Amino acid sequence: MAQTLLSIGGSGFVSGTLARRAVGAGWDVTVVSRGQRPLPEGVRGITADRKDQTQFAEALSTCGSFDLVVDCIGYDPEDAVQDVEQFRNRTKRFVFVSTDFVFDPAHRQFPQAEESQHYLTQAYGGKKRQCEQVLLDSDCGQMEWTVVRPCHIYGPGSLLGCLPAHGRDKDLIERIRRGDALQLVGGGHFLQQPILAADLADLMLSLVDCPRAEGQIFQAAGPDLVESRTFYAIIADLLGVELQIEELSVDAYLQDNPASAPFLCHRIYDLSRLRSVGAAVPSTPLVEGLRSHVEAVLANRN
């Protein structure tokens, strides 16, 4: 009998990748979305806006239990409260997708472990940390929860680019092909470990049969530690051109764009905890993953 997955979100980049990987692996997949975009083939869709508490509860009332529930879109702490209320008796394993932006960029360690004395309290990272705290503090009944904190996620279904001022840049390929100098803050010398979306999806699916992951928070990063400029250099090499870079001052950029601070630091992670529980550790080399990403972007433009 096929394992069952419920994904909160199913038409976005991460949620869509998760749904497709699960269908391809033989899962029975249900997704909850607002119904505003097409869903991946092979899934059952439930239309509901999770911000409408009553509508969301009613939409799930006819569903049975699931082997795995993944919240791909939770952001406000109220979303995590809703997860506990709706799924504490409806699934054995629950996964919440957080972010590596939970850490205060001014107090990072190298490599960064899962625990820190310095978390953000505001904006995107701060809200994700509040969601984590809800799970840590709640009575979750039979629901065994796990949190994953991906760093930069790339792959087919998303725009290319990992660093200001060319993060998720829809014109990145054209700029590189023309020989335009990419304006990278700090010259793109910040270290990071991009994770392929398919690897992240496979990691989350593997947690269904991972009892030692109960109540755990894991960094989710790719196998290659590279400078951000190397990310762009690989893309240029795949396009058969030479990369040109113009360095932007970190201080000047942060003065005008203070919210970009979480991007402008080394994002280096210790994956030993993830390895220790037997989950599917991300393993796709960056060059291989970026090749698939570039090919997908080019195919979508033809």
Side-chain angles (χ1 to χ4, degrees):
M1 185 175 180
Q3 291 182 302
T4 55
L5 165 69
L6 175 69
S7 174
I8 311 305
S11 59
F13 172 40
V14 173
S15 61
T17 301
L18 173 65
R20 285 187 288 272
R21 297 292 290 186
V23 169
W27 287 64
D28 181 346
V29 181
T30 301
V31 303
V32 181
S33 74
R34 291 177 297 172
Q36 297 181 345
R37 291 183 290 182
L39 297 176
E41 293 185 7
V43 309
R44 182 169 73 95
I46 297 176
T47 301
D49 184 348
R50 75 164 313 158
K51 297 301 183 183
D52 185 326
Q53 299 280 342
T54 301
Q55 183 188 74
F56 189 77
E58 290 178 350
L60 292 174
S61 64
T62 59
C63 296
S65 61
F66 296 89
D67 295 311
L68 175 66
V69 174
V70 180
D71 187 349
C72 295
I73 61 174
Y75 170 66
D76 292 306
E78 293 79 11
D79 297 334
V81 171
Q82 180 188 61
D83 287 331
V84 173
E85 291 174 348
Q86 293 298 322
F87 304 116
R88 63 189 307 274
N89 295 312
R90 193 174 266 141
T91 186
K92 178 69 172 177
R93 174 70 65 195
F94 172 80
V95 176
F96 184 85
V97 181
S98 186
T99 175
D100 72 325
F101 287 162
V102 297
F103 301 110
D104 184 340
H107 296 278
R108 279 179 173 261
Q109 299 175 340
F110 309 110
Q112 177 67 59
E114 279 79 5
E115 283 77 29
S116 173
Q117 297 299 314
H118 304 282
Y119 293 108
L120 290 180
T121 59
Q122 303 295 325
Y124 179 70
K127 286 199 170 187
K128 285 285 195 178
R129 177 56 187 170
Q130 292 175 47
C131 290
E132 295 179 0
Q133 198 63 53
V134 168
L135 294 172
L136 287 164
D137 295 341
S138 296
D139 175 3
C140 294
Q142 70 176 23
M143 184 181 85
E144 298 177 353
W145 61 265
T146 304
V147 170
V148 292
R149 290 183 185 142
C151 53
H152 176 74
I153 309 170
Y154 73 101
S158 175
L159 296 174
L160 280 161
C162 65
L163 188 75
H166 296 286
R168 311 284 186 196
D169 183 351
K170 65 182 179 61
D171 298 318
L172 184 65
I173 285 181
E174 285 74 12
R175 298 183 200 280
I176 293 175
R177 278 178 163 171
R178 287 197 305 262
D180 295 352
L182 299 187
Q183 295 182 314
L184 300 183
V185 182
H189 289 293
F190 294 108
L191 292 166
Q192 60 174 294
Q193 294 171 256
I195 181 172
L196 183 67
D199 277 357
L200 175 59
D202 291 348
L203 160 60
M204 293 190 290
L205 293 174
S206 76
L207 293 170
V208 70
D209 295 318
C210 197
R212 287 186 291 167
E214 178 187 359
Q216 298 278 2
I217 297 174
F218 298 108
Q219 307 300 146
D224 295 325
L225 175 61
V226 299
E227 289 187 327
S228 301
R229 65 191 291 138
T230 301
F231 184 98
Y232 294 96
I234 292 171
I235 296 171
D237 185 63
L238 290 169
L239 296 172
V241 298
E242 185 175 346
L243 181 67
Q244 305 295 326
I245 292 176
E246 174 187 346
E247 181 172 352
L248 299 181
S249 164
V250 176
D251 291 341
Y253 193 85
L254 282 175
Q255 184 173 354
D256 294 334
N257 304 275
S260 292
F263 292 95
L264 304 178
C265 58
H266 297 310
R267 299 160 71 183
I268 306 169
Y269 300 104
D270 179 356
L271 301 181
S272 59
R273 178 181 292 183
L274 185 60
R275 293 189 181 95
S276 72
V277 301
V281 179
S283 61
T284 303
L286 182 59
V287 172
E288 180 182 329
L290 279 176
R291 180 178 292 110
S292 69
H293 195 169
V294 170
E295 289 174 351
V297 171
L298 293 174
N300 287 336
R301 297 182 181 185
N302 294 333

